[in-house]
Amino acid sequence: QVQLVESGGGLVQPGGSLRLSCATSGSIFSISSMGWYRQAPGNERELVARITKDGSTNYADSVKGRFTISRDNAKNAVDLQMNNLKPEDTAVYYCNANIPLFDRPGAPRNDYWGQGTQVTVSS
């Protein structure tokens, strides 16, 4: 029922920019926080950026000053603007959403994931 779909990945030269988008659908009344993670072959999945419903953000040290996360609460959507891309940014990027299990105050929450979108930074 809850679905997350990423888009915007592709091939870009070092120093270039990409904008990733994540759209959600299903029985969603609210989202606690949303974020972007990435995983390269042979590496662990790592946090890139997260944003809460009130707009508070967290970034990995490796992307601070280059990436910007934004959120549209009305649409339950999140974007990631990536500038000055480096080869080290090459990975599959995944959208994540922390969503209450049911429509009640204090309900437990669960994480949902998109299918991922490939970002390749190369000359």
Side-chain angles (χ1 to χ4, degrees):
Q1 54 184 161
V2 175
Q3 299 181 71
L4 281 65
V5 180
E6 305 97 332
S7 62
L11 175 64
V12 65
Q13 297 184 38
S17 298
L18 285 173
R19 187 176 183 88
L20 305 183
S21 297
C22 176
T24 63
S25 63
S27 300
I28 301 173
F29 294 94
S30 65
I31 299 178
S32 177
S33 65
M34 304 186 74
W36 289 93
Y37 293 73
R38 66 188 182 188
Q39 186 169 17
N43 291 2
E44 295 183 341
R45 186 184 66 184
E46 64 175 352
L47 169 71
V48 178
R50 290 200 69 83
I51 184 168
T52 67
K53 62 182 179 181
D54 64 0
S56 179
T57 59
N58 289 99
Y59 294 92
D61 289 341
S62 60
V63 308
K64 287 181 179 178
R66 300 189 296 120
F67 292 9
T68 302
I69 189 170
S70 60
R71 173 174 176 171
D72 186 332
N73 289 340
K75 297 180 179 180
N76 289 324
V78 63
D79 287 356
L80 184 69
Q81 178 66 46
M82 304 186 294
N83 297 327
N84 192 25
L85 284 161
K86 304 176 180 179
E88 305 90 89
D89 296 317
T90 296
V92 177
Y93 284 70
Y94 297 91
C95 180
N96 169 268
N98 190 244
I99 302 175
L101 296 180
F102 44 86
D103 188 22
R104 296 182 184 275
R109 296 168 290 175
N110 201 8
D111 285 326
Y112 296 85
W113 297 89
Q115 81 287 350
T117 184
Q118 178 71 47
V119 172
T120 302
V121 185
S122 176
S123 298

